[in-house]
Amino acid sequence: MLSEFDLIKRYFAQHHIQDSRVALGIGDDCALLNPSPGMQMAISSDMLVSGRHFFPDAAPRMLGHKCLAVNLSDLAAMGAKPIAFTLALSLPEANPAWLAEFSAGLLALADEHQCHLIGGDTTKGPLNICITIFGELPPGTALRRDAARSGDDIWVSGSLGDARLALAAYWNEVSLDPQVHQQAALRMHTPSPRIALGMALRGIAHAALDISDGLAGDLGHILDKSGVGATLLIDQLPAGPVLQTQPQDLRRQFTLNGGDDYELCFTAAVSNRQQILAAATQSNTVVTRIGQIDSASGLRLLDDEGKDLHLAYQSFDHFVNP
Ligand code: ADP
Ligand code: MG
């Protein structure tokens, strides 16, 4: 039987962390961080609950990736550079095969972003994974939700809707070829946090957030906080490679309302278009211009002919949906 301490040591304690920003990692009562001189810290937590955010039998390697990816995505949305994270884990049992896979997925993504696991807590209970992440950025450069201005372009990174399409296929709302379904499901299980893009947008973009619950609903947060409205060009929304092959109505719905995309939605002055495209190139990320911030409140949806569309665009809400 694996003791709690053996479990931590075997699966989560990383080898000596070589990063001057981490003074002390796992093993004491607290970890100790030294953010780079003059930097401000960005901190965020996300909890993933079995049966609510992922299937109880989810592949553990992808689950490890995803629970860190959603936290990294929050740093990306502020323009912050990752430093470290803590992991609070509630596990029904100490299953070595599951733990080996889960920690491999988690720590591979951590390495990729030089984001170090510095502590946490482990307890027996229903499967529940909570990560708190720490990042840094120069004071005054964070990409905040309240910073959109009337006349700004609205941009989105990558593509939207494949994760939602995969979910629709699991729920038998649509039928997909198994191979195609798998391709879409990869988007759902292994999102790519847009850290490099977020950092490159500092000082160029105004407002930003990451899309977790669906573009329309999440953009609504920027509009609320900034006291503005927006017009989206619904047929300009970049559908994921799998969703692109689906009928127009589904494309529109899932690019607009699909959750789990973890792309960045951001706004920037029209005069900064070239700089935004340069930031995208520099960070090896595709970006698409999808609309405009307006002074009139509310969200308007125009099709390619300029016709106003009245689609339902409520975002997924954990307390409304079953
Ligand atoms: P405490 O009794 O102070 O809560 P623990 O015995 O829970 O300490 O943890 C011992 C050390 O292991 C601490 O440094 C803690 O941060 C770390 N730790 C516990 N669980 C995890 C985990 N799931 N991942 C990473 N570090 C962990
Ligand atoms: Mg503890």
Side-chain angles (χ1 to χ4, degrees), residues 252-275:
R252 286 174 168 176
Q253 285 199 46
F254 287 179
T255 49
L256 196 61
N257 295 323
D260 264 0
D261 294 310
Y262 299 100
E263 295 293 354
L264 298 187
C265 173
F266 55 97
T267 81
V270 172
S271 58
N272 275 350
R273 277 181 194 170
Q274 285 313 315
Q275 283 174 280

Side-chain angles (χ1 to χ4, degrees), residues 126-144:
L127 182 57
N128 188 326
I129 305 155
C130 182
I131 286 181
T132 298
I133 197 160
F134 304 86
E136 61 182 10
L137 74 182
T141 65
L143 305 170
R144 297 166 48 138

Side-chain angles (χ1 to χ4, degrees), residues 80-103:
K81 180 179 180 180
I83 304 176
F85 68 104
T86 60
L87 170 69
L89 199 54
S90 164
L91 292 172
E93 54 172 346
N95 176 338
W98 190 94
L99 280 161
E101 285 289 298
F102 175 80
S103 64

Side-chain angles (χ1 to χ4, degrees), residues 21 35-43 74-83 134-144 198-199 201-203:
R21 300 171 305 169
S36 308
M39 296 291 244
Q40 190 168 60
M41 292 194 74
I43 301 165
D74 284 320
L75 290 186
M78 294 301 273
K81 180 179 180 180
I83 304 176
F134 304 86
E136 61 182 10
L137 74 182
T141 65
L143 305 170
R144 297 166 48 138
M199 289 173 64
L201 290 175
R202 285 179 196 157

Side-chain angles (χ1 to χ4, degrees), residues 212-258:
S212 52
D213 296 339
L215 170 66
D218 285 330
L219 175 61
H221 300 310
I222 289 184
L223 305 185
D224 283 347
K225 295 258 178 194
S226 301
V228 292
T231 303
L232 282 182
L233 305 172
I234 193 165
D235 294 322
Q236 300 301 313
L237 302 180
V242 182
L243 184 57
Q244 267 174 33
T245 65
Q246 299 294 308
Q248 183 186 57
D249 180 52
L250 212 60
R251 278 201 320 265
R252 286 174 168 176
Q253 285 199 46
F254 287 179
T255 49
L256 196 61
N257 295 323

Side-chain angles (χ1 to χ4, degrees), residues 4 120-122:
E4 184 187 319
D121 199 21
T122 310

